[in-house]
Amino acid sequence: MSKKSELIAAYFPNIYLAVISLLQGIALSQLVPIFLTYVEVAEKPWLDIHLLPILLMLLIIFTIWHHYAISIFFLRWFPNIIDTLVPFLVGVAQFVLISYLTIKTDLSDMRMEAWTLGFAIFLMSGSFPYLAAAWRLEVDLFADIMSKKNAIRHGELTKKYYKWAGYSIFVQGVFVMLIVQLKQDSWLLFSLILLLSHLLLFEYCLLYRIKPHYVQSMDEFEG
């Protein structure tokens, strides 16, 4: 099993992160010109409601890349076509959402209603990669860096987090769908706060629950 662990450790991070990094870089390159055009066109760029979807898209790009980058340390499984398909689907969805924010001459060019509906669907669909990560995690593949007992405990902590992270994103998607139904675009501010809270809670769980046990397990294994 240690040979399998070493094989996954050597190749899994590259497979897991390479495609998503490329796609997030492209998404960011599409979003930045839109933001610059927005600043030029808007009379009060930091107070206009049209800023919210741009900020949300920026936060989505950062969150996706950050979670993939961090997960290469705490998740392991034998990759398959799903690990290539999911990043591409995420990227396509992001490109579609960004296209709704294109500004030609006026802020009214931004298709707020279409973007908000797409954002709701994106969030609800985005819960499945989190849940899939919890389901596919193979604790035996940590045999090269920690004991079986600690690997099982690491699996319990990590799976618990990813399940709750998936539920969090799904509920946020339902909330955005409510925004669509009630036509309350200003409520996207609350969505921004919720998504930022999701990111901060991830960091808290990582720093105070998952990472300490992970580091301690490696230290014990080396000792």
Side-chain angles (χ1 to χ4, degrees):
M1 182 58 68
S2 61
K3 291 184 178 180
K4 293 181 181 179
S5 302
E6 292 172 1
L7 177 66
I8 292 298
Y11 292 100
F12 183 81
N14 296 329
I15 296 173
Y16 199 60
L17 192 58
V19 175
I20 200 68
S21 296
L22 175 63
L23 293 172
Q24 296 313 298
I26 295 173
L28 183 61
S29 69
Q30 290 184 328
L31 185 63
V32 169
I34 291 176
F35 174 72
L36 295 177
T37 303
Y38 164 81
V39 172
E40 293 178 359
V41 172
E43 294 184 2
K44 298 180 179 179
W46 301 111
L47 299 176
D48 197 294
I49 193 174
H50 292 85
L51 176 63
L52 292 175
I54 296 176
L55 293 179
L56 281 164
M57 284 305 310
L58 181 62
L59 187 56
I60 286 173
I61 292 171
F62 175 80
T63 301
I64 290 174
W65 189 90
H66 177 64
H67 282 197
Y68 267 82
I70 293 298
S71 294
I72 64 175
F73 295 102
F74 303 107
L75 296 173
R76 287 186 183 183
W77 60 71
F78 279 98
N80 55 34
I81 192 172
I82 296 176
D83 298 292
T84 302
L85 182 62
V86 169
F88 271 108
L89 291 177
V90 169
V92 170
Q94 288 177 292
F95 301 152
V96 172
L97 287 175
I98 291 173
S99 70
Y100 293 145
L101 302 180
T102 302
I103 303 171
K104 296 180 180 178
T105 58
D106 190 80
L107 292 182
S108 61
D109 295 331
M110 297 175 67
R111 300 167 60 187
M112 287 285 290
E113 185 175 351
W115 182 89
T116 307
L117 176 60
F119 180 52
I121 297 172
F122 180 85
L123 287 177
M124 288 188 287
S125 301
S127 65
F128 293 104
Y130 283 108
L131 298 175
W135 174 61
R136 298 181 67 194
L137 175 63
E138 298 183 34
V139 296
D140 290 337
L141 295 178
F142 291 92
D144 63 322
I145 59 173
M146 63 180 68
S147 67
K148 177 71 173 182
K149 178 181 178 181
N150 284 331
I152 292 174
R153 179 55 180 163
H154 169 69
E156 291 173 350
L157 291 172
T158 306
K159 289 181 179 182
K160 182 179 180 180
Y161 163 73
Y162 277 90
K163 286 179 181 178
W164 280 107
Y167 300 148
S168 167
I169 289 296
F170 184 83
V171 170
Q172 291 188 48
V174 173
F175 174 72
V176 177
M177 190 63 74
L178 180 64
I179 294 176
V180 174
Q181 295 298 320
L182 298 179
K183 300 184 184 302
Q184 295 290 336
D185 291 340
S186 61
W187 289 8
L188 286 173
L189 176 60
F190 296 105
S191 183
L192 180 64
I193 294 172
L194 288 173
L195 191 57
L196 184 58
S197 299
H198 173 87
L199 179 62
L200 294 176
L201 285 173
F202 175 88
E203 288 299 304
Y204 177 84
C205 291
L206 173 69
L207 294 176
Y208 294 99
R209 296 295 302 277
I210 300 175
K211 181 181 176 181
H213 177 267
Y214 190 84
V215 173
Q216 181 181 355
S217 298
M218 290 192 295
D219 290 340
E220 292 178 359
F221 188 80
E222 292 175 353

